[in-house]
Amino acid sequence: MSNPFRCNNSYVGALLTDYYQITMAYAYWKLGKHNDPSVFDLLFRKNPFNGEFTVFAGLGSAMRYLQEFRFSDDDIAYLKSIMLNQRDDLDSAFFDWLKNTTLRDVKVYAVDEGTVSFPYVPLLRVEGPLAICQLLETTLLNLVNFASLVTTNAVRYRLAAGPDKRLLEFGLRRAQGPDGAMAASRYAYLGGFDATSNVKASQVFNIKPSGTHAHSFITSFRSTSDLKSTLLFNKNTNRAENFLEAVLQKKKQLSIRESHEGELAAFVGYAIAWPNSFLALVDTYNTLKSGVPNYVTVALTLIQFGYAPLGVRLDSGDLAYLSKEARTYISTVSQRMNEPKLSQTFIVASNEIDESTLLSFNQQEHEIDAFGIGTNLITCQNQTSLGGIYKLVMINNLPCLKVSQDISKISIPGRKDTYRFFDAQNRPLLDLMCESTQPPPQVGDKIMCRHPFQETMRTFVIPHKIQLLHKLVWDGGLVLDLPHQEHIRSYIQSQITSLRKDHIRFLNPTPYKVSLSERLYHTFHTLWLAESSVSCIQ
């Protein structure tokens, strides 16, 4: 099996970065600051999709990037060519330093991939020489932002659809290029989708492929005379028989008169080609008057030949209504013909489905068994970016922060550990950030938890269980085995199940609490005041 964490794009490397990272690295080096010990946090400030949770993804890809990080001779030559255009007296020794740069002195702490995460809690903590940690910023954000966004989107679709519905990712043709398509297929699967139409993603990530046929297949047939072959092996008689003839007899038996002959021919042809996985697209002409009756005719004949048809796909119109009408028709014919296998027909729906559509379907008590979802999932139309950031929080063993008039953009300083508190029912209560040098919180203690920015918002918590979220994953090299995608997929679902329902509901979800320890709160606010200017009014 292919490595699910490999960098699938040859562009991922040391030069996949913003140019200002290179210019800053030169400035650090020129000023002798490049080896200053530093700590950076990679985090986000707001949950996506108007929700109150985010699922962290992309750690595996980020670690693979670190494993392969280096500046090649070609990279160095290119950097020389562009940097010397800006300054012809550039110190060429910088390029020797860059060529010999490694990550042997870098440490990375991370929450587990698939962790349900919340604003301001670092997803990654990167420690090491200032210039080198700076060079990692853009690529780490690139590998984490989109991955976390798509995974979160997929989880929300799974919540909206319910645990028993199949979710099929159909986004390849609408994705932002092949790179976006491959990444989105992977992370949609981690978030709870069951299969993908993307054959390359199926191969690389070992995801079940899914697909039937398009309208073009239907419209390519005008009549049954277009069928070049009409024979199908009959499992019950153990010989090839004229399948078309049997279908036409079944149609007569069912008294079907309005169905489109070309559509019926297409269904017959597809059934002959794929008798074990026959699923028909039924909305090319008229879903209820032609598509569904034609499907039933061919499906009953397949059953007669010893096969089990799969179902129908609805791709236009009022999908909830059509699913109920199709189910009623199929069930009625199943009872009339005394053929219970027909009643097992699977109904698939597609056509610009999004999260709100799924919730609306539930209110309408639809009869859909599976959803094929493409554009809105793969492109994250409701929100196009997670907005992850990478901030310096400690330099030369001293905490530092970015001050802003927008309070939400002020970074929380220092090297921090984060603990998740659980109640007696093993449900997450809140996340508490503490200075790494302070003793860890203990189960059963009465612990003061402070809102990061609002002084009067504070609470005592007595946790029944405490989980340290950050783990050392990189110490000059990978030090922790990364879990397989099936483990991550299950881990995500178990966490979502453990959250309070009000945190994950669609409308007005309750914010999850992220707090600071008393000690970190005072360090933060003391530094905030010290770094903030004081106005003078005359």
Side-chain angles (χ1 to χ4, degrees):
M1 184 187 302
S2 300
N3 180 356
F5 299 114
R6 74 180 186 180
C7 291
N8 299 288
N9 191 317
S10 61
Y11 293 137
V12 176
L15 280 197
L16 185 68
T17 189
D18 292 309
Y19 185 44
Y20 76 82
Q21 309 289 10
I22 304 294
T23 60
M24 279 194 294
Y26 178 78
Y28 288 143
W29 177 85
K30 189 67 175 175
L31 298 171
K33 286 180 60 65
H34 57 293
N35 285 325
D36 287 2
S38 67
V39 179
F40 287 82
D41 284 346
L42 189 155
L43 65 145
F44 60 93
R45 298 188 182 107
K46 185 179 180 182
N47 290 303
F49 311 117
N50 296 315
E52 289 297 342
F53 71 90
T54 300
V55 180
F56 169 51
L59 177 62
S61 295
M63 292 302 101
R64 186 68 174 181
Y65 156 67
L66 297 186
Q67 287 180 314
E68 298 176 355
F69 181 89
R70 71 182 186 89
F71 288 93
S72 69
D73 291 337
D74 288 343
D75 294 341
I76 297 297
Y78 178 71
L79 289 175
K80 284 182 179 179
S81 71
I82 60 174
M83 295 177 76
L84 288 171
N85 283 335
Q86 288 187 286
R87 179 174 176 175
D88 55 12
D89 63 340
L90 205 70
D91 191 335
S92 61
F94 169 70
F95 298 106
D96 295 329
W97 173 82
L98 208 59
K99 179 69 170 67
N100 294 318
T101 292
T102 70
L103 304 185
R104 63 179 177 272
D105 296 321
V106 172
K107 291 183 178 181
V108 178
Y109 294 79
V111 300
D112 288 334
E113 181 154 18
T115 296
V116 175
S117 304
F118 304 96
Y120 298 102
V121 174
L123 303 174
L124 301 176
R125 186 174 78 233
V126 182
E127 305 178 2
L130 176 60
I132 295 175
C133 292
Q134 188 75 66
L135 287 169
L136 302 177
E137 174 181 358
T138 299
T139 315
L140 289 176
L141 285 170
N142 178 271
L143 293 171
V144 166
N145 271 335
F146 184 65
S148 300
L149 188 72
V150 174
T151 305
T152 304
N153 204 24
V155 168
R156 292 179 65 88
Y157 276 75
R158 168 53 69 194
L159 286 170
D164 301 326
K165 303 299 180 183
R166 285 182 58 78
L167 294 178
L168 316 172
E169 179 266 303
F170 284 177
L172 175 57
R173 65 184 60 194
R174 304 288 173 79
Q176 288 95 337
D179 309 318
M182 290 295 288
S185 293
R186 173 201 293 187
Y187 294 114
Y189 180 72
L190 287 185
F193 273 62
D194 299 291
T196 179
S197 67
N198 184 342
V199 180
K200 189 63 180 178
S202 174
Q203 176 196 33
V204 173
F205 305 125
N206 195 36
I207 304 171
K208 184 178 179 180
S210 178
T212 173
H213 55 76
H215 293 107
S216 55
F217 184 83
I218 305 296
T219 56
S220 70
F221 291 84
R222 291 186 176 275
S223 70
T224 55
S225 62
D226 289 335
L227 290 165
K228 307 302 182 185
S229 174
T230 60
L231 296 179
L232 177 65
F233 182 78
N234 189 325
K235 291 183 178 181
N236 296 320
T237 62
N238 207 32
R239 66 174 183 270
E241 297 180 7
N242 191 317
F243 185 68
L244 173 61
E245 183 178 299
V247 167
L248 294 176
Q249 290 176 356
K250 189 66 67 177
K251 179 181 178 182
K252 185 176 181 181
Q253 184 182 1
L254 294 170
S255 301
I256 296 173
R257 297 183 178 88
E258 295 185 55
S259 67
H260 193 282
E261 183 182 353
E263 182 181 61
L264 180 64
F267 288 180
V268 169
Y270 203 77
I272 290 172
W274 299 100
N276 292 307
S277 55
F278 176 64
L279 193 146
L281 180 59
V282 294
D283 73 323
T284 305
Y285 300 109
N286 186 299
T287 300
L288 298 178
K289 291 183 178 181
S290 178
V292 174
N294 277 337
Y295 162 77
V296 167
T297 303
V298 175
L300 284 171
T301 311
L302 277 174
I303 294 170
Q304 180 181 317
F305 273 55
Y307 299 94
L310 293 184
V312 300
R313 178 161 73 97
L314 308 170
D315 192 49
S316 61
D318 186 334
L319 299 178
Y321 167 77
L322 291 173
S323 73
K324 291 189 285 187
E325 292 298 307
R327 182 71 71 196
T328 298
Y329 181 89
I330 292 166
S331 298
T332 299
V333 174
S334 174
Q335 293 176 6
R336 172 186 160 194
M337 303 299 291
N338 193 28
E339 186 45 79
K341 291 182 180 178
L342 181 65
S343 65
Q344 298 171 13
T345 288
F346 210 65
I347 297 179
V348 181
S350 53
N351 186 29
E352 301 300 322
I353 293 170
D354 62 15
E355 183 180 356
S356 61
T357 306
L358 292 172
L359 293 166
S360 175
F361 287 162
N362 293 338
Q363 293 175 341
Q364 298 174 66
E365 299 181 341
H366 67 89
E367 288 289 340
I368 301 166
D369 300 295
F371 298 94
I373 303 175
T375 305
N376 294 304
L377 167 71
I378 218 84
T379 64
C380 296
Q381 279 199 346
N382 289 338
Q383 181 168 328
T384 56
S385 175
L386 176 63
I389 56 175
Y390 187 87
K391 293 299 179 184
L392 180 68
V393 295
M394 180 169 277
I395 186 70
N396 290 317
N397 300 313
L398 295 174
C400 58
L401 82 168
K402 175 192 180 298
V403 177
S404 173
Q405 290 183 338
D406 183 348
I407 290 178
S408 67
K409 290 190 174 183
I410 298 174
S411 56
I412 298 173
R415 186 180 189 274
K416 303 172 288 293
D417 290 321
T418 306
Y419 299 88
R420 182 158 292 173
F421 290 2
F422 296 83
D423 63 15
Q425 288 74 46
N426 204 34
R427 294 177 303 188
L429 278 171
L430 59 76
D431 287 0
L432 181 71
M433 286 187 275
C434 305
E435 292 184 349
S436 295
T437 54
Q438 69 181 96
Q442 299 296 313
V443 170
D445 284 354
K446 185 180 180 181
I447 300 166
M448 171 66 78
C449 300
R450 305 290 301 263
H451 189 283
F453 306 111
Q454 299 184 33
E455 186 173 9
T456 59
M457 293 186 67
R458 51 190 178 169
T459 185
F460 283 111
V461 176
I462 303 175
H464 288 259
K465 172 186 168 184
I466 298 175
Q467 176 188 0
L468 175 63
L469 292 183
H470 294 106
K471 298 177 181 177
L472 180 65
V473 294
W474 180 275
D475 188 359
L478 195 61
V479 296
L480 192 69
D481 290 336
L482 297 172
H484 191 271
Q485 64 185 14
E486 297 301 327
H487 172 85
I488 299 171
R489 180 179 159 92
S490 298
Y491 174 57
I492 291 171
Q493 294 305 316
S494 67
Q495 285 186 95
I496 292 294
T497 302
S498 72
L499 285 174
R500 283 191 350 224
K501 300 304 179 186
D502 57 312
H503 289 315
I504 59 176
R505 67 190 176 203
F506 180 69
L507 291 175
N508 300 318
T510 303
Y512 179 88
K513 289 183 176 63
V514 173
S515 302
L516 307 185
S517 69
E518 187 82 359
R519 180 166 147 182
L520 177 57
Y521 177 86
H522 286 294
T523 297
F524 172 28
H525 282 254
T526 299
L527 185 59
W528 185 0
L529 288 173
E531 298 291 349
S532 300
S533 60
V534 180
S535 62
C536 178
I537 301 175
Q538 296 182 353

